[in-house]
Amino acid sequence: MIHIHFIINPISGSGKNELSEAFLGNYFSQEKYSITTKISEYKRHAITLTAESIREEAQIIVACGGDGTINEVASALVNTGIPLGIIPMGSGNGLASNLKIPKQLEKAIGVILRNKYVSIDVGRVNDSYFFSNTGFGFDASVIKNYEESQRRSLLTYVTASLKSFKEYHRQDEIVIEINGTTQMVNPFLIFVSNSNVMGYGMSLTPKASLQDGLFDVVIVPKLPKLKMLVFGLLMLLKRPDFQKEVSCFQAKEIKLFKKSRGYFQSQIDGELVEIPSSSVDIDILQSSLIVLA
Ligand SMILES: Nc1ncnc2c1ncn2[C@@H]1O[C@H](COP(=O)(O)OP(=O)(O)OP(=O)(O)O)[C@@H](O)[C@H]1O
């Protein structure tokens, strides 16, 4: 008997996420599977629910939601050997797209039933894990405006981006240590990605791999408005590297320091996270999460 637990975020994506044990029982036979469903009731609740499922000896834990829900469930599963299943029910569904897990419910269930595993790399920002990407600067500001809008759709994302663009002000200077070099930048955006999709099919790092032990990093300096527009268009075409001011490279570890005291505002897998420190260490834990994909 396989003990399979489903952690469901009822508000992700369209907010119409109902997955009853009776419904799931149509796909997971009673002879082979024992099904438990749990509903998250607030932000970060899925972390507690997953830890509880691990104590209950769940053998597969399925995150039903978007990248934020996957982050919470997967964070509790890193290096446990317990496989993560994914039913994409979010808005952007970046990680599911990279793993080619279909958005159609029955097809996503089919991926879990197929029982094929892959090991993927995990990113770490100080004490937090990420599975898709993390970003500092403009990126974090977009997520802040996106979260404040209370709605989750591509249109809200585009509106949040335009609002952040209008509100944009000079960032504090940041010292970046990467691949043995140290540089001082005044960045518009620092984007560190494990995955090749950001969400909504967009990408700043189309060549990133979840299994190469490396991050794909994009650093965008402050640019004049017209060049920013070009950057936006190149992002839609998945070719940010075409712009000479934009640096794209791979790395295993990145350190950021702020000369001024204070904190970093970041986005981690599409959720706003304030890091109460003037230094940030980002490193990669190779093949540390097992996923059904
Ligand atoms: N019952 C709940 N009420 C409010 N927020 C919740 C609840 N359950 C989970 N959350 C929070 O909802 C947030 C959004 O979840 P998630 O990222 O899965 O959906 P999404 O934003 O629609 O998808 P994506 O990240 O793929 O665009 C997460 O921060 C999660 O902690």
Side-chain angles (χ1 to χ4, degrees), residues 135-137 171-192 217-221 247 249-251 253-259 264 278-282:
F136 300 82
Q171 303 283 316
D172 296 336
E173 293 211 310
I174 293 177
V175 179
I176 303 185
E177 261 181 44
I178 190 163
N179 294 339
T181 64
T182 302
Q183 49 174 312
M184 173 91 89
V185 292
N186 193 258
F188 173 71
L189 168 67
I190 299 173
F191 185 74
V192 181
V217 182
V218 178
I219 299 181
V220 185
S247 318
F249 45 88
Q250 293 187 310
E253 197 179 358
I254 300 136
K255 290 179 191 286
L256 309 177
F257 306 94
K258 265 191 183 172
K259 286 215 152 167
F264 278 89
S278 53
S279 69
V280 172
D281 284 355
I282 306 170

Short mmCIF file of all heavy atoms in Angstrom, two decimals, residues 135-137 171-192 217-221 247 249-251 253-259 264 278-282:
data_model
loop_
_atom_site.label_atom_id
_atom_site.label_comp_id
_atom_site.label_asym_id
_atom_site.label_seq_id
_atom_site.Cartn_x
_atom_site.Cartn_y
_atom_site.Cartn_z
N GLY A 135 14.99 36.48 -7.05
CA GLY A 135 15.38 37.73 -7.71
C GLY A 135 15.41 38.88 -6.72
O GLY A 135 14.70 38.88 -5.71
N PHE A 136 16.25 39.87 -7.05
CA PHE A 136 16.42 41.05 -6.19
C PHE A 136 16.28 42.29 -7.07
O PHE A 136 16.68 42.27 -8.22
CB PHE A 136 17.82 41.04 -5.55
CG PHE A 136 18.06 39.81 -4.71
CD1 PHE A 136 18.44 38.61 -5.32
CD2 PHE A 136 17.87 39.84 -3.34
CE1 PHE A 136 18.63 37.47 -4.56
CE2 PHE A 136 18.07 38.70 -2.58
CZ PHE A 136 18.45 37.51 -3.18
N GLY A 137 15.72 43.36 -6.50
CA GLY A 137 15.56 44.59 -7.29
C GLY A 137 14.18 44.62 -7.91
O GLY A 137 13.17 44.30 -7.26
N GLN A 171 18.54 51.64 -6.58
CA GLN A 171 18.77 50.68 -5.50
C GLN A 171 20.06 51.04 -4.77
O GLN A 171 20.91 51.74 -5.30
CB GLN A 171 18.95 49.28 -6.10
CG GLN A 171 17.80 48.81 -6.95
CD GLN A 171 16.63 48.37 -6.11
OE1 GLN A 171 16.80 47.67 -5.12
NE2 GLN A 171 15.44 48.79 -6.48
N ASP A 172 20.20 50.51 -3.55
CA ASP A 172 21.47 50.64 -2.84
C ASP A 172 22.54 49.90 -3.64
O ASP A 172 22.24 48.94 -4.34
CB ASP A 172 21.39 49.95 -1.47
CG ASP A 172 20.37 50.62 -0.58
OD1 ASP A 172 20.09 51.80 -0.80
OD2 ASP A 172 19.86 49.93 0.32
N GLU A 173 23.78 50.37 -3.49
CA GLU A 173 24.87 49.66 -4.18
C GLU A 173 25.05 48.28 -3.55
O GLU A 173 24.92 48.13 -2.33
CB GLU A 173 26.15 50.46 -4.07
CG GLU A 173 26.05 51.75 -4.84
CD GLU A 173 27.37 52.19 -5.39
OE1 GLU A 173 28.32 52.23 -4.60
OE2 GLU A 173 27.44 52.48 -6.60
N ILE A 174 25.31 47.31 -4.38
CA ILE A 174 25.47 45.93 -3.90
C ILE A 174 26.82 45.39 -4.38
O ILE A 174 27.20 45.60 -5.54
CB ILE A 174 24.32 45.05 -4.44
CG1 ILE A 174 22.99 45.48 -3.82
CG2 ILE A 174 24.57 43.57 -4.16
CD1 ILE A 174 21.79 44.72 -4.33
N VAL A 175 27.52 44.71 -3.48
CA VAL A 175 28.75 44.03 -3.87
C VAL A 175 28.37 42.59 -4.18
O VAL A 175 27.69 41.94 -3.39
CB VAL A 175 29.79 44.06 -2.72
CG1 VAL A 175 31.05 43.32 -3.12
CG2 VAL A 175 30.11 45.49 -2.31
N ILE A 176 28.78 42.13 -5.37
CA ILE A 176 28.46 40.75 -5.77
C ILE A 176 29.76 39.96 -5.87
O ILE A 176 30.69 40.37 -6.57
CB ILE A 176 27.78 40.70 -7.15
CG1 ILE A 176 26.52 41.56 -7.16
CG2 ILE A 176 27.44 39.28 -7.54
CD1 ILE A 176 25.74 41.45 -8.45
N GLU A 177 29.78 38.82 -5.19
CA GLU A 177 30.92 37.89 -5.34
C GLU A 177 30.41 36.70 -6.13
O GLU A 177 29.47 36.03 -5.71
CB GLU A 177 31.35 37.38 -3.97
CG GLU A 177 32.54 38.10 -3.39
CD GLU A 177 32.92 37.51 -2.05
OE1 GLU A 177 32.94 36.26 -1.91
OE2 GLU A 177 33.15 38.32 -1.14
N ILE A 178 31.03 36.46 -7.27
CA ILE A 178 30.53 35.39 -8.13
C ILE A 178 31.69 34.87 -8.98
O ILE A 178 32.48 35.66 -9.48
CB ILE A 178 29.35 35.92 -8.99
CG1 ILE A 178 28.64 34.81 -9.71
CG2 ILE A 178 29.74 36.99 -9.94
CD1 ILE A 178 27.27 35.21 -10.20
N ASN A 179 31.82 33.54 -9.08
CA ASN A 179 32.87 32.91 -9.88
C ASN A 179 34.25 33.56 -9.66
O ASN A 179 34.97 33.86 -10.61
CB ASN A 179 32.51 32.96 -11.38
CG ASN A 179 31.30 32.11 -11.68
OD1 ASN A 179 30.96 31.21 -10.91
ND2 ASN A 179 30.64 32.37 -12.78
N GLY A 180 34.59 33.80 -8.40
CA GLY A 180 35.92 34.30 -8.06
C GLY A 180 36.14 35.78 -8.33
O GLY A 180 37.25 36.28 -8.17
N THR A 181 35.11 36.49 -8.77
CA THR A 181 35.30 37.93 -8.98
C THR A 181 34.36 38.71 -8.06
O THR A 181 33.29 38.21 -7.68
CB THR A 181 34.99 38.36 -10.43
OG1 THR A 181 33.60 38.10 -10.67
CG2 THR A 181 35.82 37.62 -11.45
N THR A 182 34.79 39.90 -7.73
CA THR A 182 33.95 40.76 -6.89
C THR A 182 33.66 42.02 -7.68
O THR A 182 34.58 42.62 -8.25
CB THR A 182 34.71 41.14 -5.60
OG1 THR A 182 35.06 39.94 -4.95
CG2 THR A 182 33.86 41.98 -4.67
N GLN A 183 32.40 42.41 -7.76
CA GLN A 183 32.08 43.66 -8.46
C GLN A 183 31.02 44.43 -7.70
O GLN A 183 30.18 43.84 -7.01
CB GLN A 183 31.63 43.38 -9.89
CG GLN A 183 30.57 42.32 -10.02
CD GLN A 183 30.05 42.17 -11.44
OE1 GLN A 183 29.71 43.14 -12.09
NE2 GLN A 183 29.95 40.95 -11.91
N MET A 184 31.09 45.72 -7.84
CA MET A 184 30.09 46.58 -7.20
C MET A 184 29.07 46.95 -8.27
O MET A 184 29.45 47.40 -9.34
CB MET A 184 30.81 47.84 -6.71
CG MET A 184 29.89 48.89 -6.20
SD MET A 184 29.65 48.70 -4.46
CE MET A 184 31.00 49.66 -3.86
N VAL A 185 27.81 46.71 -8.01
CA VAL A 185 26.80 47.06 -9.01
C VAL A 185 25.67 47.85 -8.38
O VAL A 185 25.47 47.82 -7.16
CB VAL A 185 26.21 45.81 -9.72
CG1 VAL A 185 27.24 45.13 -10.58
CG2 VAL A 185 25.60 44.86 -8.73
N ASN A 186 24.97 48.52 -9.24
CA ASN A 186 23.81 49.29 -8.81
C ASN A 186 22.67 48.74 -9.65
O ASN A 186 22.22 49.35 -10.60
CB ASN A 186 24.09 50.76 -9.15
CG ASN A 186 23.09 51.64 -8.47
OD1 ASN A 186 22.17 52.10 -9.10
ND2 ASN A 186 23.27 51.85 -7.20
N PRO A 187 22.25 47.49 -9.35
CA PRO A 187 21.48 46.76 -10.35
C PRO A 187 20.01 47.15 -10.41
O PRO A 187 19.41 47.54 -9.41
CB PRO A 187 21.59 45.33 -9.86
CG PRO A 187 21.70 45.44 -8.39
CD PRO A 187 22.41 46.74 -8.11
N PHE A 188 19.48 47.01 -11.60
CA PHE A 188 18.03 47.09 -11.79
C PHE A 188 17.45 45.75 -11.37
O PHE A 188 16.41 45.66 -10.72
CB PHE A 188 17.77 47.37 -13.27
CG PHE A 188 16.32 47.32 -13.65
CD1 PHE A 188 15.45 48.32 -13.25
CD2 PHE A 188 15.84 46.28 -14.43
CE1 PHE A 188 14.12 48.27 -13.61
CE2 PHE A 188 14.51 46.23 -14.79
CZ PHE A 188 13.64 47.23 -14.38
N LEU A 189 18.18 44.68 -11.70
CA LEU A 189 17.69 43.32 -11.42
C LEU A 189 18.85 42.34 -11.28
O LEU A 189 19.79 42.36 -12.08
CB LEU A 189 16.80 42.87 -12.59
CG LEU A 189 16.39 41.41 -12.67
CD1 LEU A 189 15.47 41.04 -11.52
CD2 LEU A 189 15.68 41.11 -13.98
N ILE A 190 18.77 41.50 -10.23
CA ILE A 190 19.68 40.34 -10.14
C ILE A 190 18.75 39.13 -10.10
O ILE A 190 17.90 39.02 -9.20
CB ILE A 190 20.53 40.38 -8.86
CG1 ILE A 190 21.42 41.62 -8.83
CG2 ILE A 190 21.39 39.10 -8.75
CD1 ILE A 190 22.16 41.81 -7.51
N PHE A 191 18.88 38.25 -11.07
CA PHE A 191 17.96 37.11 -11.18
C PHE A 191 18.79 35.83 -11.19
O PHE A 191 19.71 35.68 -12.00
CB PHE A 191 17.18 37.27 -12.50
CG PHE A 191 16.11 36.24 -12.70
CD1 PHE A 191 14.92 36.30 -11.97
CD2 PHE A 191 16.28 35.21 -13.61
CE1 PHE A 191 13.92 35.35 -12.16
CE2 PHE A 191 15.29 34.26 -13.80
CZ PHE A 191 14.11 34.33 -13.08
N VAL A 192 18.46 34.91 -10.28
CA VAL A 192 19.21 33.66 -10.15
C VAL A 192 18.23 32.52 -10.34
O VAL A 192 17.27 32.39 -9.58
CB VAL A 192 19.86 33.58 -8.74
CG1 VAL A 192 20.66 32.29 -8.59
CG2 VAL A 192 20.74 34.79 -8.48
N VAL A 217 22.37 32.90 -14.18
CA VAL A 217 22.25 34.20 -13.51
C VAL A 217 22.13 35.31 -14.56
O VAL A 217 22.82 35.27 -15.59
CB VAL A 217 23.52 34.46 -12.65
CG1 VAL A 217 23.41 35.78 -11.90
CG2 VAL A 217 23.76 33.31 -11.68
N VAL A 218 21.24 36.26 -14.30
CA VAL A 218 21.10 37.41 -15.19
C VAL A 218 21.22 38.68 -14.34
O VAL A 218 20.51 38.82 -13.35
CB VAL A 218 19.72 37.40 -15.91
CG1 VAL A 218 19.56 38.61 -16.81
CG2 VAL A 218 19.55 36.12 -16.72
N ILE A 219 22.14 39.54 -14.73
CA ILE A 219 22.27 40.82 -14.02
C ILE A 219 22.00 41.95 -15.01
O ILE A 219 22.64 42.04 -16.06
CB ILE A 219 23.66 40.99 -13.38
CG1 ILE A 219 23.88 39.85 -12.35
CG2 ILE A 219 23.79 42.35 -12.69
CD1 ILE A 219 25.19 39.90 -11.62
N VAL A 220 21.01 42.76 -14.66
CA VAL A 220 20.64 43.88 -15.54
C VAL A 220 20.96 45.18 -14.80
O VAL A 220 20.45 45.41 -13.70
CB VAL A 220 19.12 43.84 -15.85
CG1 VAL A 220 18.74 44.91 -16.86
CG2 VAL A 220 18.71 42.46 -16.34
N PRO A 221 21.82 46.02 -15.40
CA PRO A 221 22.11 47.31 -14.74
C PRO A 221 20.95 48.27 -14.95
O PRO A 221 20.03 47.98 -15.72
CB PRO A 221 23.36 47.79 -15.49
CG PRO A 221 23.23 47.18 -16.84
CD PRO A 221 22.50 45.88 -16.68
N SER A 247 24.24 40.99 -18.36
CA SER A 247 25.21 39.89 -18.19
C SER A 247 24.47 38.60 -17.88
O SER A 247 23.63 38.57 -16.97
CB SER A 247 26.15 40.14 -17.01
OG SER A 247 26.56 41.45 -16.96
N PHE A 249 25.28 34.49 -17.12
CA PHE A 249 26.33 33.48 -16.90
C PHE A 249 25.83 32.41 -15.95
O PHE A 249 24.69 32.49 -15.44
CB PHE A 249 27.62 34.12 -16.39
CG PHE A 249 27.40 35.11 -15.30
CD1 PHE A 249 27.37 34.72 -13.99
CD2 PHE A 249 27.19 36.46 -15.60
CE1 PHE A 249 27.14 35.63 -12.98
CE2 PHE A 249 26.96 37.38 -14.59
CZ PHE A 249 26.94 36.95 -13.28
N GLN A 250 26.67 31.39 -15.73
CA GLN A 250 26.31 30.31 -14.81
C GLN A 250 27.21 30.36 -13.59
O GLN A 250 28.35 30.81 -13.67
CB GLN A 250 26.47 28.96 -15.50
CG GLN A 250 25.47 28.77 -16.63
CD GLN A 250 25.54 27.37 -17.19
OE1 GLN A 250 26.61 26.88 -17.50
NE2 GLN A 250 24.39 26.72 -17.31
N ALA A 251 26.71 29.88 -12.45
CA ALA A 251 27.51 29.88 -11.22
C ALA A 251 26.94 28.87 -10.24
O ALA A 251 25.77 28.49 -10.34
CB ALA A 251 27.50 31.27 -10.59
N GLU A 253 27.62 29.45 -6.83
CA GLU A 253 27.45 30.19 -5.58
C GLU A 253 27.53 31.69 -5.86
O GLU A 253 28.34 32.13 -6.68
CB GLU A 253 28.58 29.80 -4.63
CG GLU A 253 28.29 30.17 -3.21
CD GLU A 253 29.41 29.75 -2.26
OE1 GLU A 253 30.39 29.14 -2.70
OE2 GLU A 253 29.28 30.08 -1.09
N ILE A 254 26.71 32.45 -5.17
CA ILE A 254 26.70 33.91 -5.33
C ILE A 254 26.56 34.53 -3.94
O ILE A 254 25.76 34.05 -3.14
CB ILE A 254 25.50 34.36 -6.20
CG1 ILE A 254 25.59 33.70 -7.57
CG2 ILE A 254 25.40 35.87 -6.35
CD1 ILE A 254 24.29 33.16 -8.06
N LYS A 255 27.35 35.55 -3.69
CA LYS A 255 27.20 36.26 -2.41
C LYS A 255 26.88 37.72 -2.71
O LYS A 255 27.51 38.31 -3.60
CB LYS A 255 28.49 36.18 -1.59
CG LYS A 255 28.80 34.80 -1.05
CD LYS A 255 30.13 34.83 -0.28
CE LYS A 255 30.63 33.45 0.06
NZ LYS A 255 29.90 32.79 1.12
N LEU A 256 25.94 38.27 -1.99
CA LEU A 256 25.58 39.69 -2.16
C LEU A 256 25.78 40.41 -0.82
O LEU A 256 25.42 39.85 0.23
CB LEU A 256 24.10 39.84 -2.55
CG LEU A 256 23.55 39.03 -3.73
CD1 LEU A 256 22.06 39.28 -3.89
CD2 LEU A 256 24.28 39.40 -5.02
N PHE A 257 26.35 41.60 -0.86
CA PHE A 257 26.50 42.40 0.35
C PHE A 257 26.00 43.80 0.06
O PHE A 257 26.23 44.32 -1.02
CB PHE A 257 27.97 42.56 0.77
CG PHE A 257 28.70 41.27 0.90
CD1 PHE A 257 29.43 40.76 -0.17
CD2 PHE A 257 28.68 40.57 2.10
CE1 PHE A 257 30.12 39.57 -0.06
CE2 PHE A 257 29.37 39.37 2.21
CZ PHE A 257 30.09 38.87 1.15
N LYS A 258 25.37 44.40 1.07
CA LYS A 258 25.00 45.82 0.94
C LYS A 258 25.96 46.61 1.80
O LYS A 258 26.22 46.23 2.94
CB LYS A 258 23.59 46.01 1.48
CG LYS A 258 22.57 45.96 0.40
CD LYS A 258 21.23 46.41 0.89
CE LYS A 258 20.25 46.25 -0.26
NZ LYS A 258 18.90 46.47 0.14
N LYS A 259 26.48 47.70 1.25
CA LYS A 259 27.39 48.52 2.05
C LYS A 259 26.60 49.21 3.15
O LYS A 259 27.02 49.26 4.30
CB LYS A 259 28.08 49.55 1.16
CG LYS A 259 29.14 48.89 0.30
CD LYS A 259 30.29 49.81 0.13
CE LYS A 259 31.57 49.01 -0.08
NZ LYS A 259 32.64 49.85 -0.55
N PHE A 264 17.52 42.94 2.51
CA PHE A 264 17.29 42.70 1.09
C PHE A 264 15.82 42.36 0.89
O PHE A 264 15.26 41.56 1.63
CB PHE A 264 18.12 41.50 0.61
CG PHE A 264 19.53 41.83 0.28
CD1 PHE A 264 20.51 41.79 1.26
CD2 PHE A 264 19.89 42.18 -1.01
CE1 PHE A 264 21.83 42.08 0.95
CE2 PHE A 264 21.21 42.47 -1.33
CZ PHE A 264 22.18 42.42 -0.34
N SER A 278 22.26 42.22 5.87
CA SER A 278 22.90 42.99 4.79
C SER A 278 23.79 42.10 3.95
O SER A 278 24.56 42.58 3.12
CB SER A 278 23.67 44.17 5.37
OG SER A 278 24.55 43.70 6.35
N SER A 279 23.73 40.76 4.18
CA SER A 279 24.44 39.86 3.27
C SER A 279 23.57 38.65 2.94
O SER A 279 22.77 38.21 3.77
CB SER A 279 25.76 39.39 3.90
OG SER A 279 25.50 38.56 4.98
N VAL A 280 23.73 38.18 1.70
CA VAL A 280 22.93 37.05 1.23
C VAL A 280 23.86 36.03 0.60
O VAL A 280 24.70 36.39 -0.24
CB VAL A 280 21.90 37.52 0.17
CG1 VAL A 280 21.19 36.34 -0.46
CG2 VAL A 280 20.87 38.46 0.77
N ASP A 281 23.74 34.77 1.00
CA ASP A 281 24.51 33.68 0.37
C ASP A 281 23.55 32.81 -0.42
O ASP A 281 22.57 32.32 0.13
CB ASP A 281 25.14 32.76 1.44
CG ASP A 281 26.34 33.42 2.09
OD1 ASP A 281 26.72 34.51 1.64
OD2 ASP A 281 26.87 32.82 3.05
N ILE A 282 23.85 32.62 -1.70
CA ILE A 282 23.00 31.76 -2.53
C ILE A 282 23.86 30.60 -3.00
O ILE A 282 24.92 30.81 -3.61
CB ILE A 282 22.46 32.55 -3.75
CG1 ILE A 282 21.76 33.83 -3.29
CG2 ILE A 282 21.51 31.69 -4.58
CD1 ILE A 282 21.41 34.79 -4.40
#
